[in-house]
Amino acid sequence: RKNRLQTVEVVVNENRFYRLLSNVLLMAFKGAVDPARHASIAAVYAPFEQWKDALEISNTLVGYAFLIDSNGKIRWRGCGECD
């Protein structure tokens, strides 16, 4: 039976300067992470305002976790300080 659970880490940075360095920053970030996890990491270097509203992200200084079903519906969300 195929594993039905998938985790994806999304790193969001809205700073325009960092957008210019996005490839370098992504390589540095992935260099600090186990290579087995590279396929499950995505980086967004763009305005994120519309997604903040849709995902009800009110505080960008904490981490958010979402449980999404196979139809793309959010079933659970949580947030807290990142360690």
Side-chain angles (χ1 to χ4, degrees):
R1 183 174 167 187
K2 186 177 175 182
N3 185 356
R4 295 174 53 178
L5 179 65
Q6 178 183 12
T7 57
V8 177
E9 294 178 56
V10 180
V11 180
V12 178
N13 192 320
E14 297 180 276
N15 187 307
R16 290 181 188 206
F17 174 73
Y18 289 134
R19 208 174 311 162
L20 297 172
L21 302 172
S22 61
N23 288 336
V24 174
L25 293 172
L26 185 58
M27 296 284 286
F29 181 73
K30 285 190 172 184
V33 175
D34 180 359
R37 294 177 44 214
H38 285 192
S40 66
I41 297 173
V44 176
Y45 295 94
F48 199 68
E49 200 63 39
Q50 69 182 18
W51 297 105
K52 286 181 200 172
D53 294 340
L55 296 171
E56 298 178 12
I57 294 175
S58 58
N59 183 349
T60 58
L61 300 178
V62 299
Y64 284 81
F66 298 90
L67 178 61
I68 302 171
D69 69 15
S70 60
N71 296 315
K73 184 175 182 178
I74 297 173
R75 296 294 182 171
W76 177 88
R77 86 180 78 229
C79 66
E81 293 183 19
C82 300
D83 290 330

